[in-house]
Amino acid sequence: MAQARREKTRPDKAASSRDIGIDLGTANTLVYARGHGIVLNEPSVVAVRAGTTTALAVGAEAKETIGRTPGSITAIRPLKDGVICDYEAAEEMIRHFVRKAVPGRRTRTRMVICVPSGVTPVERRAIVHASTRAGAKSVHLIEEPMAAAIGAGLPVAEPRGSMVVDIGGGTSEVAVISLGGIVTSRSLRVGGDRLDSAITDYVRKEHGLLIGERTAEDVKIGIGSAWPVPDRPELETRTFTVRGRERVGGMPKTLQLTTADVRAALDEQVEAIIAAVRATLEECPPELSGDVMEHGIVLTGGGALLPGLDLRMASATRIPVFVADSPLDCVALGSGRCVEDLDTLGSLLAPAKA
């Protein structure tokens, strides 16, 4: 009897593993397995041998090679600005992550994949085709701001306006949602990567020093700020030591950056995000604008962790701004909610064909 009971439970577990939600991000990919939650969170990077499509490493292992590879190995980021820019590397990356997230799987997988709201039909087909080739039985797409709102716990199905700003690695998605649909939105190809590039450009122009993207990301995380934070006065006195190569002369050099330096470097990109929020609010119906003013704007994505961004946005819009719980996971959790409750949330998805 005990053996019979064990055999009876196995199909249920296998069935739950066949359905997964994927936050296919420019910087990181998260996989949500039905019945298990988020089971994988790794960088969206593939290391290949130069001149071939052979993947030598994927994910965290591949990210370690960025900027440090010999000429025979190339580190590729298959997604740029939220969409696939290297089809073969993306297919290999998706296949690797699915196998790692759901080991021992023998049946083809049903996938819910998050995409930016501004992707073109061609870009949508590229994502579907790569996922199908990687082993998907069926693919459903959900727009990132909708997934982020669901993952943040906003009442997307109610007749009430909810505003979400999802700042990812490649894009920033701004949307007002009501009754299970996006009423008005903006998709801006400004995200964490652009913030890193802004720091790199600032250091090169103002100090004549060349630094890599990994160093710029470390600076952003270490002392980055969009606005002075009263509760964290220590941020204003922090410094960060960067090491790079002189633009003229090519010799190694060390430089001390301050929070004020980084804030100046990020100013243009942060203002672009806030401008997108203002434009979305201007197009919002008056009734829903009132809801947003009452309940506030919710920030999700890695960019939501930039200190002072909520305060600066609140000052510019005169609307309360809140950072979601676990902002890095909101999009993946939203896709997972759709996977777990297809009967209720399936209307938010659309079957996609390659």
Side-chain angles (χ1 to χ4, degrees):
M1 289 295 292
Q3 182 178 2
R5 283 194 295 271
R6 283 196 298 271
E7 291 176 352
K8 186 176 180 180
T9 60
R10 286 174 186 166
D12 295 335
K13 184 176 181 181
S16 67
S17 297
R18 284 201 299 267
D19 301 333
I20 62 175
I22 302 179
D23 174 12
L24 195 61
T26 303
N28 294 281
T29 294
L30 286 76
V31 178
Y32 183 109
R34 184 177 182 185
H36 301 282
I38 295 175
V39 295
L40 182 140
N41 182 354
E42 292 202 24
S44 302
V45 183
V46 180
V48 300
R49 192 170 299 281
T52 72
T53 58
T54 303
L56 302 178
V58 180
E61 184 180 353
K63 185 176 182 180
E64 293 298 319
T65 68
I66 291 180
R68 297 175 176 171
T69 57
S72 60
I73 299 175
T74 304
I76 298 173
R77 299 182 68 174
L79 288 96
K80 182 179 181 181
D81 297 335
V83 296
I84 292 176
C85 61
D86 189 313
Y87 174 79
E88 292 178 339
E91 179 184 326
E92 183 62 34
M93 184 182 73
I94 295 171
R95 180 182 293 110
H96 174 87
F97 286 157
V98 170
R99 287 176 177 171
K100 190 171 183 179
V102 192
R105 181 180 47 80
R106 292 182 179 275
T107 56
R108 288 165 68 82
T109 304
R110 294 188 295 180
M111 298 183 185
V112 174
I113 300 180
C114 304
V115 296
S117 59
V119 297
T120 66
V122 172
E123 291 166 341
R124 285 175 179 263
R125 285 196 295 271
I127 293 173
V128 174
H129 195 192
S131 303
T132 303
R133 288 283 299 258
K137 176 183 177 182
S138 63
V139 179
H140 291 78
L141 303 181
I142 181 171
E143 294 183 338
E144 285 180 5
M146 178 64 76
I150 294 171
L154 297 180
V156 297
E158 296 181 8
R160 191 194 94 180
S162 298
M163 189 168 193
V164 62
V165 180
D166 178 59
I167 306 171
T171 62
S172 291
E173 307 287 327
V174 185
V176 176
I177 299 169
S178 179
L179 285 173
I182 295 177
V183 179
T184 181
S185 67
R186 283 282 191 283
S187 182
L188 185 68
R189 297 202 171 182
V190 172
D193 289 349
R194 289 287 183 91
L195 297 180
D196 296 342
S197 296
I199 294 173
T200 302
D201 293 343
Y202 178 86
V203 172
R204 174 174 54 83
K205 292 176 182 178
E206 298 296 326
H207 301 282
L209 185 68
L210 303 178
I211 61 174
E213 62 182 70
R214 290 189 60 187
T215 299
E217 183 181 19
D218 291 340
V219 171
K220 178 184 68 179
I221 294 172
I223 61 172
S225 169
W227 192 264
V229 183
D231 295 339
R232 299 179 62 184
E234 73 280 0
L235 278 176
E236 302 304 311
T237 59
R238 284 185 184 176
T239 60
F240 196 102
T241 302
V242 296
R243 296 174 178 84
R245 179 166 53 87
E246 288 181 325
R247 185 180 179 185
V248 178
M251 297 301 293
K253 180 181 176 181
T254 299
L255 175 70
Q256 291 279 345
L257 290 177
T258 66
T259 297
D261 289 328
V262 181
R263 189 179 300 144
L266 300 179
D267 184 71
E268 183 178 349
Q269 304 301 326
V270 170
E271 190 56 39
I273 296 172
I274 293 175
V277 173
R278 286 200 195 98
T280 305
L281 287 169
E282 288 172 0
E283 294 181 356
C284 185
E287 293 81 0
L288 299 184
S289 293
D291 293 337
V292 173
M293 289 193 66
E294 180 181 355
H295 300 287
I297 300 170
V298 176
L299 297 181
T300 66
L305 298 175
L306 183 67
L309 179 60
D310 54 340
L311 299 176
R312 180 167 175 176
M313 191 175 294
S315 175
T317 61
R318 299 192 296 277
I319 296 174
V321 179
F322 308 97
V323 178
D325 296 333
S326 303
L328 290 168
D329 300 336
C330 283
V331 173
L333 291 172
S335 68
R337 281 277 308 279
C338 293
V339 166
E340 297 281 4
D341 196 2
L342 286 173
D343 291 339
T344 303
L345 300 176
S347 61
L348 305 179
L349 309 174
K353 296 181 180 180

